Amino acid sequence: MNAQVLQLARRLPGVHDRALLELANGIGVARAITADRAESGVIARLIADFTGNSQRAQLLTIRHLVNGQETLAALAVETSEYGRVTDLAIARVAGYLKSVKEQALTLQRTHEELADEVGEIIKATDERFSLLERRVDKVELKDAARDFGDQVLAGAERSLRGVPWPYQAILLGRHLASGPCGRWYAESGDTQYRNRIARTVADSIPYVSQAPRRTIGLANEFEEAWRMLAWPEQRALLGELLDVGLVPGLAMASRPLNHMAAMTMELASLPDDVRPERPARIALELSRRRVDYLDAGATARRIVDVAVHEQFELAASHWRRP
């Protein structure tokens, strides 16, 4: 019990059981005296008045009634004081409950703030993990691109033996662009990396690596290229490989050099009686009209550079599609 409530309870005017018995006894005596006087005759009442018994009975009755009133007043006071104690106790309990409620709300707000902070920490941690995973993926992809490029270029001379050198450049560029090398370029956008690939491809083709750095005729080189393939079927197959036109829905977008190279082989694969005399020159002019301008004169390394750039840009457009 609260100290203030306990102190107030100790000051309560106690009304003992004896006082209640006296109250009951006084009421009984007063009732008996009043009843006795009411039953007495006229002569008996006169004698009682003469001897003074009537006055003493009246005083006794009044005294007992007064005592009863005092006892009732004490009971009323005690009841009132107990009510005050109860009200104070209830008020104290209500105040304590209010304090507990406020503490609970404060604790709840603290927990909510803590939950928000933990949520922010978790979000930041997830973002950092995602960033770390992306970085790891980039490192792994870059390593895979380097290994793939080394593997492809190491076996290029053996796998493309007999293929004319301009077509070697295009096929090597496409092979590299369709694998991890092309994907790394699509994600990084590193043009310097693409240029290094072009130089490496040029160095891996014996004709290009040994050729003097002088301007050559683009059409003349492709004219010599298709003549190196004796059979029309070989020319048609090489043309299909470059154009990827077996299934139109899978055909890659045209680029000037790739378009010219494919059309040169397609025209050169026609029967002798309908094949044009200079397929490469016709292919060059048509490519300029249908696709984009293509320089007719360049060094061998420049031709390789254009071939690789075209294939990497084609592949990057596919890698970047959502």
Side-chain angles (χ1 to χ4, degrees):
M1 180 182 293
N2 185 275
Q4 185 177 358
V5 177
L6 181 61
Q7 183 179 5
L8 181 60
R10 288 175 176 173
R11 297 204 311 264
L12 288 177
V15 179
H16 301 292
D17 294 341
R18 182 178 179 181
L20 294 176
L21 292 174
E22 289 179 355
L23 174 61
N25 183 51
I27 294 173
V29 171
R31 182 183 295 168
I33 293 174
T34 302
D36 183 66
R37 291 184 63 189
E39 293 176 357
S40 299
V42 176
I43 300 300
R45 285 199 297 271
L46 290 175
I47 294 173
D49 290 337
F50 180 77
T51 58
N53 290 333
S54 176
Q55 185 177 2
R56 285 194 296 273
Q58 186 176 2
L59 291 175
L60 182 61
T61 300
I62 293 172
R63 185 168 57 250
H64 282 290
L65 292 176
V66 170
N67 290 338
Q69 292 293 328
E70 290 178 349
T71 302
L72 289 175
L75 285 174
V77 171
E78 181 180 12
T79 301
S80 176
E81 292 296 331
Y82 272 116
R84 289 178 58 193
V85 173
T86 302
D87 292 343
L88 181 59
I90 292 174
R92 290 293 179 182
V93 171
Y96 176 74
L97 292 177
K98 181 180 180 181
S99 176
V100 171
K101 181 179 179 180
E102 292 175 351
Q103 292 177 5
L105 292 175
T106 302
L107 184 60
Q108 181 180 358
R109 286 192 294 269
T110 303
H111 285 172
E112 291 175 353
E113 294 175 357
L114 180 60
D116 293 339
E117 292 177 359
V118 172
E120 292 295 331
I121 293 174
I122 293 175
K123 182 180 179 181
T125 303
D126 290 341
E127 291 177 353
R128 290 183 178 273
F129 272 120
S130 298
L131 179 61
L132 180 60
E133 289 177 355
R134 288 194 295 270
R135 288 181 177 177
V136 171
D137 291 341
K138 285 186 177 180
V139 172
E140 292 179 349
L141 179 59
K142 190 173 183 179
D143 291 340
R146 184 185 61 249
D147 296 340
F148 181 72
D150 293 343
Q151 179 183 357
V152 170
L153 295 174
E157 184 177 359
R158 182 181 67 256
S159 61
L160 295 176
R161 186 178 291 116
V163 177
W165 75 265
Y167 291 90
Q168 288 186 22
I170 297 173
L171 292 175
L172 280 174
R174 176 169 296 182
H175 192 180
L176 293 169
S178 62
C181 297
R183 183 175 178 183
W184 166 251
Y185 170 70
E187 293 188 3
S188 66
D190 188 354
T191 56
Q192 294 182 356
Y193 170 78
R194 185 192 61 189
N195 294 337
R196 288 196 301 270
I197 289 291
R199 289 194 297 268
T200 306
V201 170
D203 292 338
S204 67
I205 300 175
Y207 176 88
V208 179
S209 63
Q210 299 169 9
R213 295 179 179 272
R214 59 181 177 82
T215 302
I216 58 177
L218 183 63
N220 292 335
E221 292 298 321
F222 278 90
E223 293 291 358
E224 293 181 8
W226 72 262
R227 294 181 188 280
M228 291 177 59
L229 302 176
W231 302 99
E233 292 79 10
Q234 294 175 320
R235 303 166 192 166
L237 176 60
L238 190 54
E240 285 292 340
L241 286 175
L242 296 183
D243 195 44
V244 195
L246 297 177
V247 180
L250 299 179
M252 299 178 71
S254 296
R255 290 294 187 273
L257 183 61
N258 187 86
H259 184 270
M260 175 197 172
M263 183 171 291
T264 297
M265 284 299 170
E266 290 178 3
L267 293 174
S269 65
L270 295 173
D272 295 342
D273 57 340
V274 295
R275 184 179 62 237
E277 182 180 357
R278 305 295 294 273
R281 288 188 178 276
I282 295 176
L284 174 60
E285 293 302 324
L286 290 177
S287 181
R288 285 175 171 178
R289 290 169 179 261
R290 297 178 180 178
V291 184
D292 200 354
Y293 179 79
L294 187 61
D295 194 352
T299 63
R301 285 186 173 271
R302 176 56 182 166
I303 294 173
V304 173
D305 186 64
V306 172
V308 172
H309 285 199
E310 283 188 359
Q311 298 305 316
F312 269 72
E313 291 301 328
L314 281 169
S317 64
H318 287 270
W319 284 116
R320 291 167 183 163
R321 286 179 183 176

